Amino acid sequence: MKFFQLLPEEGSRFTGFLNGVHQWGLPGGLCPVCEASPGGLGEAYPSVDLSGWSLRHELAEARQVPLEEYERLRDLLRPHTPPGALLLPDSEFGLLRAKATGRWGALHLPYAWLLVIQRQALERLREEAGIELSTSKMDLHFRERTPPELLEVELHPFGRLHDSCFLGGRERPCERCGRQGDILPDIPILDGSTLPVGQILFRLADFTTLIIATERFVEAVNRLGLEGVVFKEVPVT
């Protein structure tokens, strides 16, 4: 099976941009050993509704806390989140509330780690290609009178890059928080032994800003002529 990274379509046709955040987010957790936060930009669960959770107010504003405080909140939050969620520092939950501007593709990456889809494209993927995606509404504010109906695609973290694509070797994980400060390689290679079965779209667990699609998804998008993103094959070993 082939795998592909999602990238924004080049050029100025699609200029859509979102300025906002999800309703709740775990704080950053400052590690006392490596003095960094083992965060994963992009990890978001818009389907998780914390409006009835008694501690939701502690996730209402972005902030930096000692690692132990982040771990306390993470562990208390875990029963309310999908199985296998990483729940890294700065993970976000609930609806995305944002100002929306620009022209939107059928599929669109306003940020490298955030995939949105127009409802019509979602319905075509389901009805004409048999592809189901987990999506959530967004609380968006447009200037246009007839804006597109955009949905956020929920992408869970799976899989890792292969050690061989780090020419100098991977950094040793922090003994306290497990953080690895590796820089994304110029030529990423997926570790085939870590890739999920049955997931057509996911983000990588060790580089959560990378969105990966299977060959089936890419073929469906191209066949239906859904514009807004392009696909770059990522080798697997």
Side-chain angles (χ1 to χ4, degrees):
M1 182 185 295
K2 294 181 179 180
F3 292 85
F4 300 80
Q5 180 184 356
L6 271 67
L7 298 168
E9 184 175 304
E10 294 183 358
S12 58
R13 284 199 307 150
F14 301 117
T15 59
F17 183 73
L18 298 177
N19 183 15
V21 295
H22 294 85
Q23 290 171 280
W24 304 282
L26 278 169
L30 188 62
C31 176
V33 175
C34 68
E35 299 183 341
S37 179
L41 183 63
E43 189 185 5
Y45 303 93
S47 64
V48 173
D49 182 4
L50 300 178
S51 57
W53 191 45
S54 62
L55 298 179
R56 65 188 181 279
H57 63 281
E58 297 195 49
L59 307 185
E61 295 184 4
R63 58 197 175 106
Q64 189 86 330
V65 299
L67 190 64
E68 293 79 8
E69 173 63 7
Y70 148 72
E71 292 171 336
R72 180 186 73 87
L73 289 169
R74 177 199 63 194
D75 294 344
L76 291 170
L77 177 63
R78 190 169 295 284
H80 305 278
T81 60
L86 296 180
L87 303 186
L88 297 170
D90 300 315
S91 298
E92 297 185 359
F93 313 89
L95 297 183
L96 178 63
R97 294 172 170 169
K99 293 181 180 179
T101 57
R103 297 181 59 192
W104 296 83
L107 291 159
H108 199 98
L109 292 164
Y111 303 96
W113 56 87
L114 175 63
L115 177 64
V116 302
I117 187 170
Q118 295 201 34
R119 180 171 291 281
Q120 185 179 26
L122 177 70
E123 293 173 351
R124 290 191 66 196
L125 282 170
R126 181 177 63 248
E127 296 169 2
E128 300 179 41
I131 289 178
E132 297 281 354
L133 299 177
S134 175
T135 60
S136 293
K137 292 181 179 180
M138 297 185 284
D139 182 8
L140 301 181
H141 299 276
F142 292 88
R143 291 183 178 179
E144 295 84 351
R145 291 184 178 180
T146 56
E149 186 175 1
L150 301 177
L151 304 166
E152 180 179 356
V153 181
E154 184 164 321
L155 302 163
H156 292 191
F158 295 98
R160 294 173 57 85
L161 293 183
H162 196 273
D163 291 347
S164 64
C165 63
F166 297 89
L167 300 182
R170 280 190 184 263
E171 281 197 10
R172 180 177 297 178
C174 172
E175 61 185 22
R176 173 62 180 87
C177 69
R179 176 183 177 272
Q180 286 180 289
D182 297 309
I183 298 174
L184 180 65
D186 293 334
I187 304 177
I189 301 171
L190 298 175
D191 184 341
S193 67
T194 69
L195 297 178
V197 176
Q199 297 288 333
I200 62 170
L201 269 178
F202 55 95
R203 65 177 76 251
L204 289 185
D206 58 346
F207 284 90
T208 49
T209 58
L210 265 66
I211 299 175
I212 302 296
T214 63
E215 191 171 7
R216 180 190 172 206
F217 182 80
V218 173
E219 289 176 347
V221 168
N222 290 338
R223 176 167 56 83
L224 297 176
L226 303 178
E227 298 181 304
V229 300
V230 295
F231 304 98
K232 180 180 179 181
E233 186 173 355
V234 184
V236 180
T237 189

